[in-house]
Amino acid sequence: MSRSAFIASRVHALFFGPNWTETSLSELIQNHTFDEFSNAKVGTNSAAAVLFHIHYYQRAQLSVLQGGPLNAKDSESFYHPSWKRESDWFQFGLGIIDTGTELEAAIAQLPESIWSEPFVKSEYGSYETNLAGMLEHSYYH
């Protein structure tokens, strides 16, 4: 299996399962309400804020994979919208699921030669360290 296919399969498992945690982002989103996410704490943040944080970096990487810029700042990664209604939260959840599908497809299309190349700038590391790091970061939270 190529590295591109392998990392794409790991992205699929993170978003849609199965994986070693026995859950997936789509399952968490579909099986829990906004009230549950907003009231559950992960350290000093709500589970909703942590999910936004994870998605923030996934979207930033997807932008690069789709030929766009890397627009991400650590200082902004927890500043989520003020969800007022369950329907707003539901739309956000659908966006996360869409990101998973798009990330998987974009990674699967990467040529094998790119994995050791710099991800935007050499100081940001390689494609491999960034995309493997995104998986580790997502599971960490």
Side-chain angles (χ1 to χ4, degrees):
M1 177 182 294
S2 71
R3 219 176 326 189
S4 299
F6 176 74
I7 297 295
S9 74
R10 302 308 349 128
V11 167
H12 180 88
L14 169 68
F15 281 89
F16 306 105
N19 61 57
W20 61 275
T21 65
E22 298 182 7
T23 190
S24 65
L25 291 176
S26 62
E27 184 179 321
L28 288 170
I29 292 162
Q30 293 168 0
N31 293 338
H32 297 281
T33 66
F34 171 64
D35 283 342
E36 290 172 312
F37 268 97
S38 61
N39 291 319
K41 293 294 181 188
V42 180
T44 59
N45 296 294
S46 69
V50 172
L51 188 58
F52 176 85
H53 172 76
I54 292 168
H55 186 242
Y56 179 87
Y57 285 108
Q58 292 167 341
R59 292 290 309 164
Q61 289 181 323
L62 180 59
S63 173
V64 172
L65 296 177
Q66 293 174 332
L70 178 62
N71 289 325
K73 296 179 181 175
D74 291 343
S75 62
E76 297 175 4
S77 67
F78 279 101
Y79 291 117
H80 58 79
S82 178
W83 298 288
K84 300 285 187 211
R85 299 172 297 188
E86 189 72 32
S87 60
D88 296 334
W89 176 252
F90 180 75
Q91 288 301 312
F92 173 68
L94 289 178
I96 291 173
I97 293 168
D98 288 346
T99 295
T101 301
E102 293 176 48
L103 262 173
E104 180 183 359
I107 291 169
Q109 297 300 315
L110 290 175
E112 286 301 302
S113 60
I114 204 165
W115 288 100
S116 60
E117 295 294 319
F119 190 82
V120 181
K121 295 181 182 179
S122 60
E123 60 259 31
Y124 297 158
S126 66
Y127 274 77
E128 183 170 25
T129 58
N130 272 268
L131 296 172
M134 177 269 299
L135 290 166
E136 293 170 5
H137 177 249
S138 299
Y139 280 117
Y140 166 78
H141 287 297

